[in-house]
Amino acid sequence: MSAPFARPSASIATPRIHRTRRERLRLDVAPSSKSAVPTTTTTRLPAPTVHRASVPTRAHARGGATSSAATSSGASSPVSASSPLGVHALVWTGGWSEADAHDACARTAAAGYDIIEIPLLNPSSVDVAMTKNALAAHGLRVATSLGLSFDADVSSDDLSIVAKGNELLDAALDVSVGIGATHMCGILYSALGKYPNGCTATGRANAVAAIKRLAKKAADTSDVVLGLEVVNRYETNLLNTAEQAMAFLNDVDEPNVKIHLDTYHMNIEERSLEAAVVLCGDRLGYVHVGESDRGALGMGNVDFDSLFRGLRRVDYDGPITFESFSSDVVSPDLSDVLCIWRNPWGFEQRDELAVDARSFVLGMMDKHGLR
Amino acid sequence: MSAPFARPSASIATPRIHRTRRERLRLDVAPSSKSAVPTTTTTRLPAPTVHRASVPTRAHARGGATSSAATSSGASSPVSASSPLGVHALVWTGGWSEADAHDACARTAAAGYDIIEIPLLNPSSVDVAMTKNALAAHGLRVATSLGLSFDADVSSDDLSIVAKGNELLDAALDVSVGIGATHMCGILYSALGKYPNGCTATGRANAVAAIKRLAKKAADTSDVVLGLEVVNRYETNLLNTAEQAMAFLNDVDEPNVKIHLDTYHMNIEERSLEAAVVLCGDRLGYVHVGESDRGALGMGNVDFDSLFRGLRRVDYDGPITFESFSSDVVSPDLSDVLCIWRNPWGFEQRDELAVDARSFVLGMMDKHGLR
């Protein structure tokens, strides 16, 4: 999308309630003069006055990000000395053409993020040289993520399916190293989807061996950290809790493999977000912040205070990346895998969504002494 | 199970922490002298001193059920004047033989519940006369519940599959009426499971027609209330929120069809449990209380204060039924459908689980002025 985007007419958080602050937000992405690829950004975010206090949410009731905390952290503030903040590319686009890449990177930078997370469900769809250019043009760091498919699943009992899983992981690692990713995360150990039954001991052993092999390969060629994402029961049958992930990590026994926690999944599977973070300790390497309905951050049931208390207790300084899905952006296939049967936000609201999410995270970091 | 059961050696809530109060609990179900079917119960529950305060849970941090509130409502207290309390039969047993039925009913009554909810996933497996006897022997009310299957799904586009769904609903209604159920609940409008894609307009219309037909049939023969359970995106593609359920109910337009909310699912899909309840208002007919990990009540991420605030605001006086699943009890097939890949509690802990859950609900009802 090369044209300056229109301001959304309704709020993501409360679609039917007009919030005047939206009218004061100005975040313009100017297209370059040639090839319809935006390469320069103009950010005009005059310390957004985030009136979360006016929206009666649970996050607020628990003492969520305050107006003043959010206001103190405009998108033009320097990269925090502690955790870099990221946003998932699927907030912006479902494709990765040159135009997609530059648009997504421009919006990531304009919204004040340090990192863009690029999905590698199909690694060959990512042009390494073009992606490096887009990242450099917008001064971004990069992480990657994927989930395996049922026909390329390293936790299968079937060694031919495990072999295809290893090939997929190798292809994703090659792209990750090629584009200079700091982290390669996600469901690297299992298919992303609803399993028909539980994982077998053989399947788990195959997954451990595959991750160990991948970790050695990653260490031989790069500083890429592998992050094993712990997801809910409907998206894997193997690692649903931090406790399971720690046991798996102990079996893998490679220093460049870390745990990747995601609040959307933790809200379903962990009894306490804080306890899960503390259990991981310095083995925690990547964090996804997502809301309970996969929508606007701070507007649902996730206990973010508990998460950030935990992050403070373990002095976490790794990436914190915002993830949210709308089938307005995500491909139909992935929407069906993720069961996105309704959209928490529309395509035109994605900039507002990302700016709000970053403000919310910074407010939480301030509140809990994380920066 | 006819032999007096052993006391669990570890707590459900904190399996590795010894809690001495468990040793003070005495809840004995004595078997009858013949046919290994327990028909008499001996309840000795001396006002259990529930020391939730000693367990650092979020529910407690939010001001959950206090020790004194829980203590004031022993299992031998009379049925509350407001909401009757229920427990799902799958807390006790995966089968429904005469021995299963009597054992489950005995334990339900001994734990102080008013209602047992009997699953009708396979209606023909429930012997109507035997079940009536078991219910009467233990002085219980009864509700039923089910979810449809993909080959008998009234929300299908395929009319032959819709017809099979109607047959399954008719069979379940016949059993429900036969055993004197007050409510027939669950995913009556859809298959229980992970859909490969979203529901079509035709599928939704078929579901509306099927529920309208069933409602008229139920009204012609009984006072059974139909409850449409709102469940998470991985267990239906049709009604994931109270808002969707209200729209569906308006289209059905039959007074004996109500909404059935479940906190496990609300924690994933609703932004506010209180708002969801208030949106339903007097169309809310049945409530499941389940924890975020489907385990012990009050130990996870569900915002029960929000739920009970909502119930108070709408003066809810319908059933409140506890639901929790362990593959120690649930059949392997249903465990796989529900993705029970790990067990939050063991078979021997089910009495403790049920007694604790009831105490927690009563504490919440007291706190929020619901009785």
Side-chain angles (χ1 to χ4, degrees), chain A residues 13 58 268 270-271 292 303, chain B residues 13 58 268 271 292 301 303:
Chain A
R58 272 181 69 215
I268 301 172
E270 304 286 357
R271 286 181 167 182
S292 54
D303 190 354
Chain B
R58 271 182 69 215
I268 301 172
R271 286 181 166 182
S292 53
N301 294 311
D303 189 354

Side-chain angles (χ1 to χ4, degrees), chain B residues 28-30 38-43 102-103 105-107 109-110 137-138:
Chain B
D28 299 329
V29 179
T39 54
T40 61
T41 63
T42 306
T43 303
H102 277 274
D103 182 62
C105 288
R107 291 174 191 277
H138 300 282

Side-chain angles (χ1 to χ4, degrees), chain A residues 32 72 99 158 182 188 199 202 209 230 239 245 256 262 287 308 318 336 349 361:
Chain A
S32 71
S72 69
D158 181 331
T182 55
L188 306 180
C199 190
T202 301
V230 181
L239 302 185
N256 59 338
D262 178 315
V287 171
F308 282 90
D336 288 342
Q349 296 177 294
V361 170

Side-chain angles (χ1 to χ4, degrees), chain A residues 88 90 94 119 121 147 192 235 294 325 327 329-341, chain B residues 194:
Chain A
H88 198 291
L90 281 173
L121 293 156
L192 157 58
E235 297 190 7
R294 309 209 95 152
F325 295 113
S327 57
V329 173
V330 174
S331 70
D333 281 355
L334 188 56
S335 276
D336 288 342
V337 169
L338 298 173
C339 300
I340 312 296
W341 310 135
Chain B
K194 162 76 177 77

Side-chain angles (χ1 to χ4, degrees), chain A residues 133-178:
Chain A
N133 285 341
L135 294 165
H138 300 281
L140 292 178
R141 308 184 208 175
V142 63
T144 61
S145 61
L146 70 154
L148 302 181
S149 52
F150 284 104
D151 60 359
D153 175 5
V154 297
S155 74
S156 173
D157 283 9
D158 181 331
L159 290 178
S160 68
I161 294 174
V162 171
K164 286 180 187 160
N166 281 326
E167 287 171 22
L168 180 56
L169 290 172
D170 283 345
L173 180 62
D174 287 346
V175 173
S176 299
V177 173

Side-chain angles (χ1 to χ4, degrees), chain A residues 74-157:
Chain A
S76 59
S77 62
V79 172
S80 59
S82 50
S83 285
L85 302 190
V87 62
H88 198 291
L90 281 173
V91 167
W92 309 119
T93 176
W96 203 249
S97 67
E98 188 166 8
D100 291 334
H102 277 274
D103 183 62
C105 288
R107 290 174 192 278
T108 296
Y113 287 93
D114 315 306
I115 300 171
I116 186 167
E117 179 180 321
I118 301 176
L120 296 183
L121 293 156
N122 180 9
S124 65
S125 68
V126 174
D127 180 323
V128 169
M130 177 278 287
T131 300
K132 281 182 77 169
N133 285 341
L135 294 165
H138 300 281
L140 292 178
R141 308 184 208 175
V142 63
T144 61
S145 61
L146 70 154
L148 302 181
S149 52
F150 284 104
D151 60 359
D153 175 5
V154 297
S155 74
S156 173
D157 283 9

Side-chain angles (χ1 to χ4, degrees), chain B residues 7-19 22 349 352:
Chain B
R7 285 282 84 218
S9 58
S11 155
I12 295 157
T14 50
R16 292 168 183 166
I17 300 169
H18 183 68
R19 290 198 292 170
R22 302 301 170 207
Q349 296 177 293
E352 178 189 6

